[in-house]
Amino acid sequence: MAEKTGFSRRDLKGPDEFISTFGRIVAWCKENRSKAAAGAIGVFAVVALAFGTRAYLQWEENKSARDLWPTLDRSQGLLESPFTAEPSQLETVERFLEGHVSRHPNTRATVYSLYYLGTIAFFHGNPELAITRFRAGIATGKEAGIMKYLLREGIASSLEAKKDFSAAAAAYRDAEGVAGTNMKTQSMMGEARVLVLSGKKTEAAALYRLILKETPETPLRDLVEIQLAQTE
């Protein structure tokens, strides 16, 4: 005996709800072809714009990197040792980096240009300009990896060079927040150093002790102990 489904003949003869709804949509589209076409075009336009913008931004990132890295690779030794470089060579690299920033604002490669521009400004004895360039690198929102630390450490060093020790201490703490273990020790020592320079020897001593506690095997242990002894 067949199992009863619970549906009446009338129910079985009734139209399926989905088919009925779909049919009404098709019918509406036939009666309102212009509106349906406009809606479809609008949807496709939004999707195309999203994918097009994404593709353009990636293209711009790639173009910025291709523009920067060959020159940066050739100038690596010069930028690592600006004190030994010919002034004219350094000026040429600086002009190129400024042009790169102008041509490719807010790209990942531009973060490197701004960092090296800040380094050159620091070398030229212009910590204010260095700070501006380092902060511009952070403002792009594209800094990543080691650049998160280097830009912040650059700001801290530049503020220390300006003898703005209170701001420098805060900047070193900011660098500590994004640093790896070894780099964090460097920044903590920088913070302790400017605390001493601002007359806060007790706070500096506490920081030196914290360094020894957190990184007892640090290669800088002897130096830290010497600095600690001088604060007591």
Side-chain angles (χ1 to χ4, degrees):
M1 182 176 176
E3 184 179 350
K4 293 185 178 181
T5 62
F7 291 106
S8 67
R9 290 179 179 275
R10 184 175 181 179
D11 290 331
L12 294 172
K13 288 181 180 180
D16 180 88
E17 183 178 351
F18 171 78
I19 295 174
S20 178
T21 302
F22 181 75
R24 286 196 295 272
I25 293 172
V26 171
W28 183 88
C29 289
K30 286 180 179 179
E31 295 174 3
N32 301 272
R33 285 187 174 86
S34 60
K35 292 181 180 179
I41 290 171
V43 170
F44 283 119
V46 170
V47 173
L49 179 61
F51 279 98
T53 301
R54 188 173 176 182
Y56 171 78
L57 291 175
Q58 187 56 56
W59 175 83
E60 178 60 29
E61 289 282 0
N62 294 339
K63 188 172 184 292
S64 175
R66 287 195 301 269
D67 190 12
L68 175 66
W69 289 112
T71 298
L72 206 58
D73 287 342
R74 288 194 299 269
S75 307
Q76 185 175 3
L78 182 150
L79 291 168
E80 288 177 352
S81 304
F83 293 97
T84 63
E86 290 289 333
S88 60
Q89 291 179 311
L90 204 55
E91 288 173 8
T92 299
V93 173
E94 186 174 19
R95 284 197 299 272
F96 168 79
L97 293 173
E98 288 172 341
H100 179 262
V101 172
S102 178
R103 292 189 299 274
H104 307 286
N106 299 322
T107 61
R108 289 188 294 272
T110 292
V111 174
Y112 288 84
S113 289
L114 288 165
Y115 170 72
Y116 283 112
L117 283 169
T119 302
I120 292 171
F122 186 89
F123 164 71
H124 285 316
N126 192 342
E128 193 65 53
L129 178 58
I131 292 168
T132 297
R133 288 170 167 175
F134 291 138
R135 284 177 174 162
I138 295 172
T140 64
K142 298 293 183 71
E143 86 276 22
I146 189 65
M147 296 309 298
K148 281 181 173 289
Y149 172 76
L150 291 177
L151 290 165
R152 288 163 176 79
E153 184 74 2
I155 292 171
S157 298
S158 300
L159 287 166
E160 183 178 354
K162 285 182 60 181
K163 301 187 185 306
D164 189 347
F165 301 129
S166 177
Y172 279 120
R173 284 194 295 274
D174 190 27
E176 291 163 26
V178 296
T181 302
N182 293 333
M183 292 179 292
K184 182 177 180 179
T185 299
Q186 293 278 3
S187 295
M188 290 175 74
M189 290 185 67
E191 182 186 355
R193 183 175 58 251
V194 295
L195 286 172
V196 170
L197 292 171
S198 61
K200 299 178 179 178
K201 289 189 175 183
T202 302
E203 293 179 29
L207 195 52
Y208 283 129
R209 292 192 190 94
L210 182 60
I211 293 171
L212 294 173
K213 179 181 178 181
E214 290 187 348
T215 54
E217 302 302 322
T218 175
L220 300 172
R221 184 179 183 86
D222 290 345
L223 178 58
V224 174
E225 288 178 341
I226 291 170
Q227 298 288 358
L228 175 58
Q230 291 177 347
T231 64
E232 295 175 332

